[in-house]
Amino acid sequence: MEQIENAALDFEFLGGGVTPISGNNKDTGRRQLPFYVLVNNDGMSSTSEYDGHTFNVKDGESYLLPRNRVHRLRTGKGEHPVSIWCHFRATLFQSADFLDFFELPEKFIPPDSDRIREACRILVSPPEESPARRLLRTKSAGLRLIEAITAACRERADAPERFDQLRRLAPAIDFMNRRLDGKHRLEEAAARANLSESRFTVLFKQAMNCAPGSYWQSLRLRRAHELLGSGATPAETAAKLGF
């Protein structure tokens, strides 16, 4: 069964806006964030620095900073400078970075940047609407943004191999997502993919960029957060998840 095709591509919108830049040039200082930072220049230029490299971004261009990279952003002057920006994550199986399958350029130029900027503007400029409609609009707008970004990128050479690895691991990942009580062992998950525990661990790290035990624990912690947020007591949560 081709389970990877049924895996949810999860878009998580963490914030954004259409921000006029007033006064002198702005400087974020050096920072490291656990999500993607997308910035679209409208009426201004800017400078981005990460991985020891500095590059200039002109008016009408866009740039995307990978998560967990130390970076620094400086906005330039313009007649009516505006930054259209957002922070987000895009993942498969709640952990595999979807954009990591693509070669991201230093910056996007027109017409690619035009499509990315408009998709970002729709995402960060919500109309007044009910919570249900807001959720639907955010998810659909987020996926349109990812589509616009990836349309301007090449797939990495190892992307097909990594997708094959995910396809093989899918039954094990599904098992891990459904068994969050802490009573199951890694070898049981590996068996779902017809792999030894050692081989399963190697493939998992290659495909998901994290160890299977760490991934399983993150699923339990995420579920604990959900239970506590819905009103469960710490004792009830610990008993349900085996903490």
Side-chain angles (χ1 to χ4, degrees):
M1 180 178 180
E2 301 293 333
Q3 289 179 278
I4 184 64
E5 280 74 16
N6 298 322
L9 170 57
D10 184 40
F11 179 87
E12 185 179 2
F13 175 56
L14 301 169
V18 179
T19 305
I21 307 298
S22 58
N24 297 326
N25 295 3
K26 304 296 182 182
D27 189 333
T28 64
R30 295 188 182 280
R31 61 184 186 176
Q32 184 175 6
L33 302 172
F35 42 73
Y36 281 94
V37 178
L38 173 67
V39 181
N40 305 275
N41 288 348
D42 191 352
M44 69 174 188
S45 61
S46 63
T47 301
S48 176
E49 175 187 334
Y50 72 94
D51 289 348
H53 179 55
T54 301
F55 56 96
N56 297 318
V57 186
K58 299 178 182 178
D59 180 20
E61 297 179 340
S62 308
Y63 56 99
L64 180 66
L65 299 173
R67 58 183 184 175
N68 298 320
R69 297 282 185 88
V70 177
H71 64 268
R72 183 177 190 176
L73 310 179
R74 300 183 183 91
T75 58
K77 295 181 179 179
E79 188 171 342
H80 300 288
V82 174
S83 176
I84 305 170
W85 60 278
C86 72
H87 298 161
F88 68 88
R89 296 189 187 97
T91 54
L92 289 170
F93 296 117
Q94 301 180 12
S95 180
D97 185 347
F98 183 70
L99 292 182
D100 194 42
F101 292 96
F102 298 86
E103 295 181 5
L104 299 178
E106 287 185 339
K107 62 181 181 179
F108 299 93
I109 63 175
D112 294 325
S113 59
D114 296 334
R115 290 189 288 267
I116 293 171
R117 182 176 63 254
E118 289 311 304
C120 184
R121 188 189 293 272
I122 293 171
L123 176 66
V124 303
S125 304
E128 291 294 328
E129 55 192 354
S130 68
R133 291 187 181 279
R134 186 180 307 118
L135 174 63
L136 178 61
R137 186 197 55 77
T138 299
K139 290 295 184 181
S140 60
L143 292 177
R144 284 198 297 271
L145 176 61
I146 296 301
E147 184 178 23
I149 291 172
T150 56
C153 303
R154 292 184 301 177
E155 279 195 47
R156 293 185 182 276
D158 64 348
E161 180 183 358
R162 288 186 60 197
F163 266 102
D164 283 342
Q165 292 170 341
L166 283 175
R167 182 179 292 111
R168 186 170 186 183
L169 295 172
I173 294 173
D174 179 64
F175 174 81
M176 297 164 80
N177 275 272
R178 291 186 289 107
R179 302 293 196 278
L180 301 180
D181 57 11
K183 298 178 181 179
H184 301 275
R185 296 173 298 177
L186 203 58
E187 65 183 70
E188 295 178 85
R192 296 304 190 281
N194 296 316
L195 293 168
S196 67
E197 183 176 343
S198 59
R199 182 58 180 159
F200 173 67
T201 298
V202 170
L203 286 180
F204 198 98
K205 287 181 178 179
Q206 291 175 348
M208 301 285 281
N209 289 324
C210 67
S214 298
Y215 173 76
W216 212 343
Q217 183 76 337
S218 71
L219 294 177
R220 295 173 68 210
L221 291 172
R222 182 186 294 236
R223 181 57 181 154
H225 183 269
E226 293 172 350
L227 290 173
L228 292 169
S230 65
T233 67
E236 291 169 339
T237 301
K240 186 175 182 64
L241 298 177
F243 287 113

